[in-house]
Amino acid sequence: MSEKISVMISEADVDKRIAEVAKQISEDFAGEELHLITILKGGVFFSCELAKRITLPVSLDFMSVSSYGDATKSSGVVKIVKDLDEPIKGKNVLVVEDIVDSGRTLTYLLEYLKARNPKSLTLCTMLDKPSRRVKPVDVKYTAFEIEDKFVVGYGLDYAQKYRNLPYIGCVELDG
Ligand code: IMP
Ligand code: MG
């Protein structure tokens, strides 16, 4: 089986929108410092472009989580593969995700992070598929809402491929 990728959101459109989100975040947190927690691996491309455009002092940390369950459905039970390097107590934490789908991963992560007493805890995602939501999540910053299609590129993978595409593509299976 092979797959074809068609462009859903062009590189120029993604970049333009990331600049808008970064501007909004910079305004909302004016006078504060921000601690970005990027969820590996998918959030990395978005996070770099976002961080470069935020005009506040920014520090970075990373978490890697894996969801128990099959490849297409997350179970909500999340295993922490890589934990934070730095404490988050008293910090303005901005969690940066690639995509919110069922919401199970973020629901788990939020509880986990909240227990570490940050000053504030805010979510930012590149993509949101609201029609797929099982667990409600309060996402403050969304670059794009999309319909229920499997997407790749700009960090997102299909079987670990296509993360490096500079645009957001839609996967069409054939063969
Ligand atoms: P959920 O919100 O717990 O269901 O899981 C979100 C995670 O599922 C994301 O961080 C992605 O790793 C993965 N995911 C969901 N939808 C897609 C997609 O369309 N393409 C690639 N990965 C996806
Ligand atoms: Mg992810």
Side-chain angles (χ1 to χ4, degrees), residues 61-120:
D61 207 343
F62 300 88
M63 277 185 90
S64 179
V65 297
S66 78
S67 171
Y68 292 103
D70 63 40
T72 54
K73 254 192 246 158
S74 70
S75 61
V77 184
V78 172
K79 182 175 149 200
I80 300 198
V81 178
K82 188 226 164 287
D83 206 340
L84 299 171
D85 291 335
E86 313 282 342
I88 57 169
K89 192 165 191 276
K91 294 181 183 169
N92 290 309
V93 169
L94 184 72
V95 177
V96 183
E97 251 289 29
D98 49 3
I99 186 165
V100 186
D101 188 38
S102 72
R104 289 184 170 113
T105 308
L106 270 184
T107 299
Y108 178 91
L109 266 179
L110 283 186
E111 286 309 311
Y112 182 84
L113 294 172
K114 240 185 243 166
R116 297 181 175 197
N117 297 315
K119 179 177 178 188
S120 63

Side-chain angles (χ1 to χ4, degrees), residues 14-162:
V14 182
D15 290 349
K16 183 167 170 261
R17 181 69 188 125
I18 292 176
E20 289 170 6
V21 175
K23 185 167 180 276
Q24 187 65 56
I25 291 170
S26 304
E27 285 170 12
D28 292 351
F29 286 89
E32 301 274 337
E33 295 183 8
L34 262 188
H35 191 61
L36 264 55
I37 297 182
T38 302
I39 311 304
L40 300 171
K41 304 171 185 158
V44 167
F45 289 69
F46 174 51
S47 177
C48 290
E49 295 308 312
L50 186 74
K52 277 158 56 180
R53 293 167 175 86
I54 292 175
T55 54
L56 309 168
V58 161
S59 52
L60 305 177
D61 207 343
F62 300 88
M63 277 185 90
S64 179
V65 297
S66 78
S67 171
Y68 292 103
D70 63 40
T72 54
K73 254 192 246 158
S74 70
S75 61
V77 184
V78 172
K79 182 175 149 200
I80 300 198
V81 178
K82 188 226 164 287
D83 206 340
L84 299 171
D85 291 335
E86 313 282 342
I88 57 169
K89 192 165 191 276
K91 294 181 183 169
N92 290 309
V93 169
L94 184 72
V95 177
V96 183
E97 251 289 29
D98 49 3
I99 186 165
V100 186
D101 188 38
S102 72
R104 289 184 170 113
T105 308
L106 270 184
T107 299
Y108 178 91
L109 266 179
L110 283 186
E111 286 309 311
Y112 182 84
L113 294 172
K114 240 185 243 166
R116 297 181 175 197
N117 297 315
K119 179 177 178 188
S120 63
L121 184 57
T122 309
L123 296 183
C124 178
T125 187
M126 178 170 73
L127 302 175
D128 188 0
K129 288 187 204 171
S131 64
R132 298 258 306 165
R133 198 73 89 256
V134 174
K135 292 263 187 187
V137 204
D138 186 12
V139 183
K140 175 131 191 227
Y141 304 104
T142 300
F144 299 96
E145 278 191 6
I146 59 168
E147 52 183 314
D148 183 12
K149 295 228 168 108
F150 197 85
V151 287
V152 294
Y154 229 102
L156 289 151
D157 74 304
Y158 173 71
Q160 296 302 325
K161 289 188 291 184
Y162 307 117

